[in-house]
Amino acid sequence: MIAAALPRLTPAAAGIDPAGIAAFIDGLDRLDSTHSVMLLRHGAVVAEAWWAPYSAERPHSLFSVSKSFTSTAVGFAISEGLLSLESRVVDLLPDDAPAEISPNLAAMRVRDLLTMTTGHAADTVEGVRGSGSDNWARVVLAMPVEFEPGTHFVYDTGATYLLSAILHRLTGMRLLDYLRPRLFEPLGITGATWEQCPRGIDVGGWGLAITTEEMAVFGQLLLQHGEWNGVQVVPREWLEEATARQVPNDGRGEAADWEQGYGYQFWRARHGAYRGDGAFGQYVLVMEDQDAVLVTTGGMDPMHQVLELAWEHLIPAFDQDPAEAILPSGLSLPTPAGSASSAAAMTLAAREWRTEQPGMLQSLAVQCHPDRIDLTIGDAAGQHLVACGVGRWVEGRTLLGSGIPTPIAASAAWEGDVLHVVVQFIETPFAYRFAVQPDADGVAVDVRANVSFGPTDLGRILLS
């Protein structure tokens, strides 16, 4: 059941040429890989699609779209008198500040955290990941502040974490719990989850997961300047400031829509639009001039292709005489092409294959059925049965990779003597892609990720 529900309207009734929407969705279908799309106009859904195995009822990791929700929480806290834009960070996190506070750190304000102008030369979250410390705020505040705060834009997820840590200290509760009665419940968002740091603080800059329609509800709230069902849920003045161009961010050699200015954890975009923006194609794009909201989820790189398609196909489709068009349906991510068995399958299925090398794959056993291929994959967390459809997706749950029960969908097929396997983590952008092939010394497994913050080629594993 989907709690947050929006009215539906045909594209023509909303004054949009369906041919433009069809061309846009067709463009998304050609990307690798779109998971969902929803387009709103005049407060109603005019187009929506999910690519199997993704579906409407499943939440999806938002990555840095989470930052826009953190910004909204800061707006609430300011309206409640808990802090101000000019509050100094070291005063709000006194227990985490270093013993010696540099002039630049002393000058850092909440405003600087919101606008990504903390004065750091690089994203501080990278230092957090390599520190081994469970006190992330203390690690960030101990880093050198090379520039005067407010003068130098650097996209800094650590800054957003500090905002969450500040609110956690001021309110005594998780960011998720603080937002629940103020934002999520009024909008009908019921199943939100948020990743936490080792100290139980919501990470703020990423980690929020909600459904596509819940993302769209948030986008419509933004378009309506914080008003929902006749109630001013979020202070209008805050959203007007948060979504405006507060600082420049051009001249960095980025794609055009990343150099239109930055607000309070919102990106400005071309065509007078602004957006919440998350890695690998998570978007809440608010097009004020068109009274429209576009939401996508995905696992794509480069992700700017989504915006390019929107500008090419959607912008010209608004307020045009409708043409005849059938919107795409029955969309699916591609499954591996091939058959359920091959001559090499008997060799592979003869026994369990193992390696003594530590890593994500320590053993492998394969069983082939007429319409399904079962893999038993061993890693540090144990043995994991992954049922793979042939020419279709089979859903399940696995501890593979993380040791945490995670929803997946898997598909596999033999192409000659190579077994191709895709394991899609269907509440995230991520997938593992395996190419398994018997060789003279045993079995070789090439492993790739579809998208990653690091390398996507994860190497070859030799089993014997």
Side-chain angles (χ1 to χ4, degrees):
M1 178 178 177
I2 303 170
L6 291 159
R8 267 57 180 174
L9 198 63
T10 65
I16 308 175
D17 185 352
I21 298 177
F24 174 67
I25 295 178
D26 183 64
L28 293 179
D29 190 42
R30 297 172 190 272
L31 300 181
D32 184 15
S33 57
T34 309
H35 298 162
S36 71
V37 61
M38 185 171 282
L39 179 65
L40 280 60
R41 197 177 199 209
H42 307 326
V45 177
V46 297
E48 57 192 307
W50 284 262
W51 278 254
Y54 292 83
S55 57
E57 71 278 2
R58 286 197 177 277
H60 196 285
S61 299
L62 303 192
F63 282 88
S64 288
V65 176
S66 307
K67 291 179 170 71
S68 300
F69 287 83
T70 301
S71 169
T72 304
V74 174
F76 285 126
I78 289 175
S79 70
E80 293 166 11
L82 299 180
L83 74 168
S84 76
L85 288 171
E86 306 308 317
S87 297
R88 297 196 318 157
V89 174
V90 293
D91 295 334
L92 295 169
L93 294 171
D95 296 337
D96 300 317
E100 294 189 14
I101 298 173
S102 69
N104 281 347
L105 178 58
M108 191 187 299
R109 306 159 298 169
V110 168
R111 182 190 301 275
D112 304 318
L113 300 179
L114 287 163
T115 57
M116 301 294 191
T117 58
T118 59
H120 291 105
D123 189 347
T124 56
V125 80
E126 297 304 320
V128 168
R129 288 174 174 152
S131 70
S133 173
D134 65 355
N135 190 324
W136 293 6
R138 185 169 296 167
V139 172
V140 173
L141 293 177
M143 292 181 186
V145 184
E146 295 89 342
F147 301 95
E148 180 185 351
T151 66
H152 186 76
F153 177 87
V154 167
Y155 191 69
D156 184 0
T157 299
T160 318
Y161 173 77
L162 289 181
L163 291 170
S164 181
I166 288 167
L167 294 180
H168 192 102
R169 177 176 177 271
L170 294 177
T171 66
M173 64 180 72
R174 295 180 58 186
L175 192 58
L176 184 68
D177 293 333
Y178 180 67
L179 281 175
R180 186 170 284 116
R182 293 165 175 82
L183 180 69
F184 293 140
E185 289 178 359
L187 299 185
I189 297 174
T190 59
T193 60
W194 211 317
E195 185 180 337
Q196 296 174 277
C197 78
R199 292 197 299 159
I201 298 170
D202 291 353
V203 294
W206 74 98
L208 179 63
I210 55 177
T211 68
T212 302
E213 186 150 354
E214 288 169 340
M215 294 169 68
V217 166
F218 179 64
Q220 186 63 33
L221 174 79
L222 298 172
L223 183 60
Q224 295 172 182
H225 305 284
E227 184 271 332
W228 194 257
N229 291 334
V231 176
Q232 194 67 41
V233 174
V234 182
R236 181 186 182 101
E237 297 79 7
W238 174 256
L239 288 182
E240 288 177 349
E241 284 190 44
T243 60
R245 177 187 168 105
Q246 293 292 337
V247 296
N249 60 358
D250 53 340
R252 301 174 301 123
E254 300 283 346
D257 285 294
W258 281 261
E259 294 198 337
Q260 302 298 310
Y262 196 77
Y264 299 154
Q265 309 283 291
F266 287 90
W267 294 87
R268 293 297 304 180
R270 287 177 287 172
H271 300 283
Y274 63 86
R275 68 190 188 277
D277 176 315
F280 313 124
Q282 325 318 314
Y283 285 116
V284 176
L285 177 67
V286 179
M287 297 176 278
E288 289 191 297
D289 293 347
Q290 290 76 29
D291 193 29
V293 174
L294 174 66
V295 167
T296 64
T297 63
M300 61 197 73
D301 188 19
M303 58 185 281
H304 72 80
Q305 299 168 101
V306 175
L307 298 181
E308 299 293 346
L309 288 169
W311 306 146
E312 178 182 359
H313 298 296
L314 292 184
I315 293 295
F318 290 107
D319 299 319
Q320 298 295 318
D321 292 331
E324 290 295 326
I326 298 175
L327 298 185
S329 61
L331 297 165
S332 177
L333 299 183
T335 57
S339 60
S341 189
S342 75
M346 295 184 64
T347 300
L348 192 61
R351 62 184 180 87
E352 180 183 63
W353 303 87
R354 304 187 64 84
T355 178
E356 298 302 320
Q357 297 298 317
M360 65 168 294
L361 194 156
Q362 297 175 359
S363 67
L364 177 68
V366 177
Q367 285 188 308
C368 296
H369 306 277
D371 67 342
R372 194 182 82 245
I373 299 173
D374 290 344
L375 278 70
T376 302
I377 300 173
D379 66 5
Q383 298 286 313
H384 314 287
L385 177 62
V386 178
C388 306
V390 178
R392 63 190 178 94
W393 295 100
V394 172
E395 294 191 16
R397 297 179 73 86
T398 188
L399 301 176
L400 178 66
S402 66
I404 301 170
T406 304
I408 60 167
S411 183
W414 283 93
E415 185 180 29
D417 61 353
V418 180
L419 175 62
H420 294 281
V421 181
V422 179
V423 180
Q424 196 82 36
F425 293 81
I426 51 177
E427 293 183 357
T428 82
F430 299 116
Y432 285 141
R433 297 171 178 173
F434 303 97
V436 184
Q437 184 173 16
D439 67 10
D441 299 317
V443 174
V445 184
D446 293 305
V447 186
R448 295 186 62 84
N450 61 328
V451 290
S452 172
F453 291 106
T456 55
D457 187 345
L458 305 181
R460 169 166 284 201
I461 302 169
L462 299 177
L463 307 173
S464 59

